[in-house]
């Protein structure tokens, strides 16, 4: 039987494409995942936890490893081995901590001789680290030969303001903080795990006493509705926070709760309670 | 004019144009609607990303074909017009006939892609239309102008002949200008997603021209323009190959052998300059954002370039093999066959160097055994210095193949032929030396200096090609013939090489489309509009390869169907539009 030309051509083309597909499937498969937001809102993390979280950012979301090496001279960027100690000597009158933070936020300010000015500002898109992440990353770099003494307050308040990519508009929510506090303590059940200023004391979840200072309104709103999707705070178990608040709370209760959380700026007693 | 030749095609194209026009005019309302719509909707079964991926790749394949082929079709028509050789006019008409059949499918796929964006990515589309809305009306207008000009060009082939031929040629040129303008407008949208410009930190528009003229716009314009010609050449050559294999008579075989040769010649000519356009694009990506450039070349996408190297290596080897097979049908070519083994060696060595990865993802124990992630010997071949050297030498070798093919049945009668030949060899040697020197020297300088060396290497190769041809053309003018090319007698396996080249280039286009889109990672618009959908992850190569293969297979199935439809109107005729198919067997030189 004579095979038609078109059939032969089709089989040939499929074999060629099959070979390419097989080869592409047989080499290492690297998939790029979108980075998760790290939140350290409670501030009750140990230096070890902070350094570990910072190392994760160094290797992951921060993309630092693309250019920097630790203990090995890079062609594009300086070796960061011992940077925790050497940073203190780089600029007279500037501590290691201040030098590292400034280098992350404005890399062009402290160029190492022999290296081009190619490092992006890490709190801006596309890397877009938030304040918690900058805090952890600084701690990790301090740990490379130095002492970990960075505090969240050392990270400028303006840092990471556009971390999500695109503008973060100031939100004016119609919620009532006082009613929100009631939801926090009652129907929402948040108090079972979280502390919020003078309200609650449970250590199960992160302390939210200064959540409004360290997280954006968008993050807070999204976290309530989709806790797993927004990542888990370092040092706390994942999967504990219920994902059903979006269904159990009414729209008003949800807005009230957010409004309450946005009053938590670490000033001791919950502002709503002061009113 | 004989409008009944492709009545179905005409109707589809008009419907496609009308749909696209209506859709573009309705966009402000769609954008307002999108602002209130959810951020994403899910496409049934396969998900939104795969749906957009498949339609975008198919649309791009068809668009590349209908924009690329007319570029060389009009050049061939001009050749026929100026030389008076009817066979060129026939060939040009054949090429345009192919694109004409694919025109309506391109428009319909474009409209479908737009529906997918508006329906499944409403917020993203609202943002994009907020930036680029003024360009949409320009695009629609260009699309109508392009459509009507191509219609006039194709259907006016007989009407605008003889003394009116210049008008017909002008229509061909005009349709190419409109086509190129369409390409440039749509490239502005897609490059903005990769390297946004003309916006402030919040993503709001500050300058429309800045958004259009972003970092990668012009490099992509140039790269796609050249790649479209290559793609068009390979598809046209593959079409000719199928017709050759199906041919019942020697005359038909000869005609499609010649058509396949011309298609392949066009493809190789454009392919040789394509890597240079690729370097330009790569350089601009680095200039826009170092992190993006490094992610592309050294990050999670680094293995993609190994696959790309293999595909390009196959394209070079295949093109050369086709030329060598073609020499067997040229009396007198025996003189040059002794060079073929050396050329194979250079091409194979270049192929190996280009396909050598720089660093290999390894387990710690494997890395310890090898002494690091870089192989102590082969790792040296993985850097750009080695790869630039390899590809430039491969291009020089391919040019040499073409040169030998060109003179296979010619003997120069010029008294200075010895000096001319010596000068040509000297130029080849000088270019190879410059390429190798900068390749080796590149290991001893900083990367920023090394990038500049690739320009010297490119200039050496392009300069050598220009100089050698400047000597070759006068040297073989009025040359003595050792016999005519026996068109149609080429080995049938050569036609499978043409099909291999078409399939490989189409697959490569899919891969490069994945690379261009994938380097944005989890961003719709890099650094501005984040992808927060369930598909925000960027797939690994295997997943992408599966998708590329499926879409490429669908593309070829559609092409076959469209060409079959296009041929229905001329079933049983050896002519189209009164174009008598020329007799080529045993006939003329290329």
């Amino acid at each position: 039987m004579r095979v038609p030309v078109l059939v032969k051509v089709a089989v040939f083309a499929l074999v060629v494409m099959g070979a390419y597909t097989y080869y592409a499937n047989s080499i290492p498969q690297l998939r790029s995942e979108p980075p998760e937001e790290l939140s350290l809102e409670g501030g009750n993390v140990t230096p070890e936890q902070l350094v570990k979280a910072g190392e994760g950012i160094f290797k992951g979301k921060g993309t630092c490893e693309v250019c920097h090496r630790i203990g090995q001279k890079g062609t594009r960027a300086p070796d960061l081995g011992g940077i925790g100690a050497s940073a203190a000597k780089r600029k007279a009158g500037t501590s290691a901590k201040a030098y590292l933070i400034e280098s992350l936020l404005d890399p062009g300010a402290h160029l190492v001789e022999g290296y081009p000015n190619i490092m992006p500002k890490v709190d801006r898109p596309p890397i877009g680290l938030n304040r918690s992440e900058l805090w952890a990353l600084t701690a990790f770099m301090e740990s490379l030969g130095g002492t970990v003494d960075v505090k969240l307050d050392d990270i400028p308040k303006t840092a990471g303001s556009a971390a999500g990519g695109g503008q973060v508009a100031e939100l004016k929510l119609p919620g009532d903080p006082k009613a929100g506090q009631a939801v926090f303590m009652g129907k929402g059940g948040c108090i079972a795990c979280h502390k919020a200023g003078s309200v609650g004391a449970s250590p199960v979840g992160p302390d939210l006493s200064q959540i409004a200072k360290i997280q954006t309104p968008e993050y807070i709103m999204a976290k309530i509705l989709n806790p797993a999707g927004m990542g888990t705070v370092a040092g706390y178990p994942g999967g504990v926070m219920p994902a059903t608040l979006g269904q159990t709370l009414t729209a008003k209760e949800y807005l009230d709760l957010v409004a309450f959380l946005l009053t938590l700026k670490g000033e001791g007693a919950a502002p709503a309670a002061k009113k | 004019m004989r409008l009944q030749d492709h009545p179905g095609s005409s109707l589809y194209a008009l419907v496609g144009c009308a749909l696209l026009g209506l859709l573009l005019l309705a966009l402000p309302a769609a954008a307002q609607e999108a602002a209130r719509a959810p951020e994403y909707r899910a496409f049934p079964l396969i998900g939104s990303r795969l749906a957009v991926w498949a339609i975008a790749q198919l649309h791009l394949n068809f668009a590349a074909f209908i924009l690329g082929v007319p570029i060389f079709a009009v050049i061939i028509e001009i050749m026929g017009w100026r030389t008076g050789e009817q066979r060129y006019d026939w060939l040009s008409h054949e090429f345009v006939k192919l694109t004409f059949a694919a025109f309506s499918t391109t428009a319909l796929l474009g409209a479908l892609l737009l529906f997918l964006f508006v329906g499944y990515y409403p917020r993203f589309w609202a943002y994009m239309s907020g930036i680029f809305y003024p360009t949409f009306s320009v695009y629609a207008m260009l699309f109508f102008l392009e459509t009507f000009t191509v219609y006039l060009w194709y259907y006016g082939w007989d009407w605008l002949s003889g003394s009116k031929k210049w008008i017909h040629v002008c229509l061909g040129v005009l349709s190419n200008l409109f086509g190129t303008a369409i390409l440039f407008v749509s490239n502005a949208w897609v490059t903005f997603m990769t390297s946004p410009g003309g916006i402030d930190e919040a993503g709001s528009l500050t300058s429309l021209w800045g958004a259009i003229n972003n970092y990668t716009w012009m490099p992509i314009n140039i790269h796609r323009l050249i790649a479209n010609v290559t793609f068009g050449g390979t598809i046209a050559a593959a079409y000719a190959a199928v017709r050759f294999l199906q041919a019942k008579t020697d005359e038909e075989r000869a005609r499609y052998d010649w058509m396949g040769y011309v298609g392949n010649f066009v493809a190789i000519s454009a392919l040789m300059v394509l890597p240079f356009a690729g370097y330009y694009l790569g350089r601009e990506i680095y200039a826009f954002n170092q992190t993006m450039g490094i992610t592309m070349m050294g990050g999670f996408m680094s293995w993609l370039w190994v696959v790309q190297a293999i595909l390009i290596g196959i394209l070079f080897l295949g093109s050369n093999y086709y030329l060598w097979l073609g020499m067997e049908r040229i009396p007198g070519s025996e003189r040059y066959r002794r060079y073929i083994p050396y050329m194979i060696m250079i091409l194979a060595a270049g192929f190996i160097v280009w396909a050598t990865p720089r660093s290999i993802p390894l387990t710690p124990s494997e890395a310890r055994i090898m002494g690091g992630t870089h192989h102590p010997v082969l790792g040296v071949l993985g850097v750009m210095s080695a790869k630039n050297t390899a590809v430039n030498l491969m291009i020089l070798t391919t040019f040499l193949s073409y040169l030998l093919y060109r003179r296979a049945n010619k003997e120069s009668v010029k008294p200075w032929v010895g000096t001319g030949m010596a000068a040509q060899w000297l130029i080849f040697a000088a270019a190879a030396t410059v390429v190798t020197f900068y390749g080796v020297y590149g290991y001893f300088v900083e990367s920023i200096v090394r990038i500049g060396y690739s320009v010297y290497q490119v200039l050496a190769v392009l300069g050598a090609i220009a100089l050698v041809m400047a000597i070759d053309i006068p040297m073989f003018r009025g040359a003595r013939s050792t016999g005519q090319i026996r068109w149609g007698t080429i080995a049938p396996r050569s036609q499978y090489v043409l099909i291999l080249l078409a399939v490989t280039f189409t697959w490569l286009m899919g891969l490069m489309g994945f690379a261009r889109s994938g380097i944005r990672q989890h961003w719709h618009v890099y650094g501005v509009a984040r992808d927060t959908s369930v598909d925000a992850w960027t797939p690994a190569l295997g997943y992408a390869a599966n998708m590329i293969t499926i879409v490429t297979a669908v593309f070829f199935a559609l092409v076959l169907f469209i060409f079959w439809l296009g041929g229905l109107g001329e079933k049983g005729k050896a002519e189209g539009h009164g174009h008598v198919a020329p007799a080529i067997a045993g006939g003329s030189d290329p």
Side-chain angles (χ1 to χ4, degrees):
Chain A
M1 192 185 76
R2 199 159 171 236
V3 182
V5 167
L6 279 182
V7 174
K8 283 198 256 184
V9 167
V11 170
F12 175 73
L14 286 173
V15 168
V16 170
M17 286 188 281
Y20 297 154
T21 311
Y22 173 76
Y23 178 68
N25 275 282
S26 65
I27 58 179
Q29 301 295 306
L30 307 173
R31 173 174 144 154
S32 168
E33 298 288 350
E36 284 187 1
E37 291 277 318
L38 174 72
S39 172
L40 303 165
E41 57 253 53
N44 294 333
V45 285
T46 64
E48 289 74 26
Q49 288 171 331
L50 201 58
V51 168
K52 195 169 177 221
E55 188 179 3
I57 290 165
F58 185 85
K59 292 177 176 171
K61 185 178 178 183
T63 65
C64 318
E65 255 193 342
V66 170
C67 296
H68 288 285
R69 295 280 178 276
I70 296 169
Q72 188 186 336
K73 190 174 179 282
T75 52
R76 287 187 289 264
D79 174 13
L80 294 184
I83 187 70
S86 60
K89 301 171 201 154
R90 290 278 301 153
K91 190 178 169 190
T94 305
S95 67
K97 179 170 62 183
Y99 177 85
L100 290 172
I101 293 169
E102 206 173 324
S103 297
L104 291 171
L105 299 177
D106 185 14
H110 299 303
L111 271 188
V112 176
E113 199 181 329
Y115 291 99
N117 184 13
I118 61 172
M119 180 169 154
K121 294 176 179 180
V122 300
D123 68 324
R124 301 284 157 198
I127 296 175
L129 301 186
N130 63 32
R131 286 186 74 222
S132 290
E133 290 160 340
L134 283 164
W135 179 27
L137 183 57
T138 309
F140 170 65
M141 289 198 291
E142 281 187 326
S143 76
L144 300 172
T147 310
V148 179
D149 62 352
V150 62
K151 300 277 178 282
L152 182 61
D153 284 342
D154 294 324
I155 310 296
K157 303 275 188 299
T158 51
S161 57
Q167 75 194 110
V168 178
E170 193 186 337
L171 286 180
K172 301 240 184 268
L173 291 173
D176 173 5
K178 200 164 183 182
Q181 185 175 330
V183 174
F184 186 91
M185 297 167 69
K187 188 175 176 183
C190 320
I191 199 167
C193 298
H194 294 285
K195 181 177 188 300
S198 59
V199 178
S202 173
V204 175
D207 183 348
L208 303 181
S209 300
Q210 47 179 342
I211 185 73
K213 248 170 81 176
I214 57 177
Q215 281 298 356
T216 63
E218 282 178 342
Y219 172 86
I220 295 168
M221 294 169 83
K223 179 77 181 175
I224 294 169
L225 298 176
N226 180 19
M230 300 303 291
T232 304
V233 176
Y236 291 93
V240 174
M241 186 163 162
T244 52
L245 289 169
Q247 287 83 52
T248 55
L249 298 182
T250 65
K252 184 180 181 310
E253 287 165 344
Y254 171 63
L255 288 174
D256 290 346
L257 179 60
V258 174
F260 166 65
L261 292 172
L262 287 175
T263 64
L264 301 173
K265 294 179 179 168
E267 286 131 10
K274 285 180 189 171
K275 282 185 185 173
Chain B
M1 287 203 295
R2 295 198 298 199
L3 284 167
Q4 70 275 24
D5 277 359
H6 294 287
S9 192
S10 315
L11 185 66
Y12 287 138
L14 284 171
V15 170
C17 288
L19 274 175
L20 198 64
L22 281 173
L23 202 60
L24 286 168
L25 290 172
L27 279 172
Q32 283 173 14
E33 196 56 43
R36 292 194 293 271
E39 196 158 0
Y40 304 101
R41 292 190 186 94
F43 190 87
L45 296 175
I46 59 171
S48 305
R49 192 216 336 233
L50 286 187
V52 166
W53 186 342
I55 298 301
Q57 192 182 324
L58 276 176
H59 174 60
L60 202 81
N61 284 344
F62 275 102
F65 180 65
I66 65 161
L67 292 177
V69 172
I71 293 174
F72 58 81
V74 78
I75 294 170
I76 292 169
E77 187 187 8
I78 292 169
M79 280 167 63
W81 174 41
R82 302 315 301 167
T83 61
E85 285 196 51
Q86 193 58 33
R87 61 179 180 147
Y88 288 119
D89 202 60
W90 171 83
L91 186 64
S92 175
H93 181 267
E94 281 290 297
F95 283 143
V96 178
K97 187 174 79 181
L98 296 182
T99 64
F100 197 78
F103 217 83
S104 45
T105 313
T106 313
L108 287 171
L109 284 167
L112 194 56
L113 184 60
L114 199 53
F115 283 137
L116 288 175
F117 278 134
V118 173
Y120 294 96
Y121 292 85
R123 291 272 178 86
F124 159 73
W125 186 251
Y127 178 70
M128 288 297 282
S129 52
I131 301 286
F132 284 108
Y133 179 67
T135 66
F136 292 169
S137 49
V138 175
Y139 182 85
M141 186 189 69
L142 286 169
F143 197 86
F144 277 106
L145 288 172
E146 154 84 343
T147 307
F148 292 127
T149 316
V150 170
Y151 266 66
L152 266 178
W153 188 29
Y154 182 68
Y155 286 123
W157 215 284
D158 299 332
W159 173 44
L160 296 171
S161 57
S163 62
K164 288 185 281 190
K165 187 66 177 173
W166 67 272
I167 301 173
H168 191 257
V169 168
C170 285
L171 280 174
V173 172
L174 204 59
S175 67
N176 273 295
L177 290 176
F178 287 139
T180 305
I182 286 175
L183 177 76
F184 281 23
V185 173
S186 52
N187 281 350
W189 310 334
V190 81
T191 54
F192 175 82
M193 291 168 67
T194 304
S195 54
I199 51 173
D200 59 23
E201 205 169 78
S204 305
L205 183 68
T206 55
S207 157
L208 178 61
W209 175 240
I212 294 169
N213 188 27
N214 61 70
Y215 269 92
T216 54
W217 181 56
M218 196 44 77
I220 284 271
N221 285 340
I222 293 169
H223 195 275
R224 278 191 167 170
L225 203 59
I226 299 168
N228 287 354
V229 175
T230 307
F231 181 62
T234 60
I235 298 292
Y239 166 80
V242 172
R243 297 295 296 258
F244 176 97
L245 293 169
Q246 289 178 322
K248 300 276 190 297
T249 64
D250 287 345
E251 189 189 320
E252 212 181 340
R253 245 186 303 278
R255 197 184 310 135
Y256 287 109
D257 182 7
W258 181 62
M259 185 179 180
Y261 164 76
V262 175
N264 186 57
F265 172 75
V266 168
I268 300 178
S269 305
L271 179 67
M272 285 203 295
V273 286
L274 203 51
F276 307 140
Y279 294 150
Y280 175 37
L281 174 59
R283 198 188 71 175
E284 291 303 292
I285 288 173
Y286 271 89
F288 164 68
N289 188 302
Q290 290 275 339
T291 311
M292 180 186 263
I294 294 161
T295 301
M296 178 176 73
M297 299 306 296
F300 91 102
M301 278 205 159
S302 54
W303 277 89
L304 182 143
W305 306 104
V306 176
V307 180
Q308 187 226 28
I310 286 169
L311 295 175
I312 293 181
I314 288 170
L315 288 175
F316 273 108
L317 281 170
S319 305
N320 279 277
Y321 182 54
Y322 175 78
L323 284 176
W324 301 332
L325 283 174
M327 283 169 78
E328 288 177 6
R329 55 163 143 65
I330 307 177
S333 65
E334 302 80 10
R335 297 168 289 167
Y336 299 117
R337 286 182 199 164
R338 66 176 186 273
Y339 296 115
I340 291 175
Y342 303 108
M343 291 196 282
I344 291 175
M345 278 191 261
I346 295 171
L347 288 170
F351 185 13
I352 290 165
V353 170
W354 210 3
T356 303
R358 168 67 171 152
S359 56
I360 310 163
L362 299 168
T363 62
S365 59
E366 287 170 333
R368 263 195 303 279
I369 293 166
M370 203 169 80
T373 55
H374 300 172
H375 190 277
V377 179
L378 297 179
V380 177
L381 302 177
V383 296
M384 284 312 287
S385 269
K387 293 182 191 305
N388 281 348
T389 308
V391 74
N392 278 296
L393 292 178
M394 286 169 83
I395 290 169
L396 267 182
T397 308
T398 305
F399 173 63
L400 180 62
S401 270
Y402 166 69
L403 203 68
L404 298 183
Y405 181 94
R406 189 176 177 275
R407 64 174 60 162
N409 64 339
K410 292 174 186 166
E411 279 179 359
S412 175
V413 292
K414 297 288 189 290
W416 48 275
V417 62
T419 315
M421 294 268 195
Q424 286 181 319
W425 282 118
L426 210 63
I427 292 165
F428 267 111
T433 306
V434 169
V435 167
T436 313
F437 171 76
Y438 280 112
V440 174
Y441 196 47
Y443 284 97
F444 302 99
V445 295
E446 293 294 326
S447 60
I448 195 78
V449 181
R450 185 163 57 238
I451 290 166
Y453 286 174
S454 64
V455 177
Y456 303 140
Q457 292 178 311
V458 167
L459 288 177
V461 172
L462 290 181
I465 291 173
L467 283 174
V468 168
M469 284 310 291
I471 296 171
D472 212 63
I473 291 168
M475 193 158 72
F476 284 94
R477 189 169 289 142
R480 188 167 44 239
S481 172
T482 55
Q484 288 184 322
I485 299 175
R486 297 187 293 268
W487 291 109
T489 61
I490 193 168
R493 66 179 180 278
S494 65
Q495 304 306 301
Y496 283 95
V497 176
L498 294 181
I499 293 160
L500 169 77
L501 294 177
V503 171
T504 304
F505 198 81
T506 311
W507 208 91
L508 179 60
M509 276 178 68
L511 186 72
M512 290 299 96
F514 168 65
R516 181 190 49 71
S517 179
I519 53 172
R520 295 197 313 268
Q521 294 178 281
H522 54 281
W523 297 92
H524 291 310
V525 178
Y526 194 69
V528 178
R530 193 167 176 155
D531 183 351
T532 56
S533 72
V534 290
D535 296 321
W537 50 279
T538 311
L541 259 179
Y543 181 100
N546 299 343
M547 187 66 192
I548 292 163
T549 294
I550 292 168
V551 178
T552 306
V554 171
F555 169 70
F556 278 106
L558 280 173
V559 165
L560 271 179
F561 177 67
I562 290 165
F563 286 172
W564 173 75
L565 269 185
L568 278 183
E570 294 177 2
K571 197 96 175 163
K573 301 175 194 170
E575 60 189 72
H577 290 146
H579 277 68
V580 178
I584 290 171
S588 40
D589 290 343

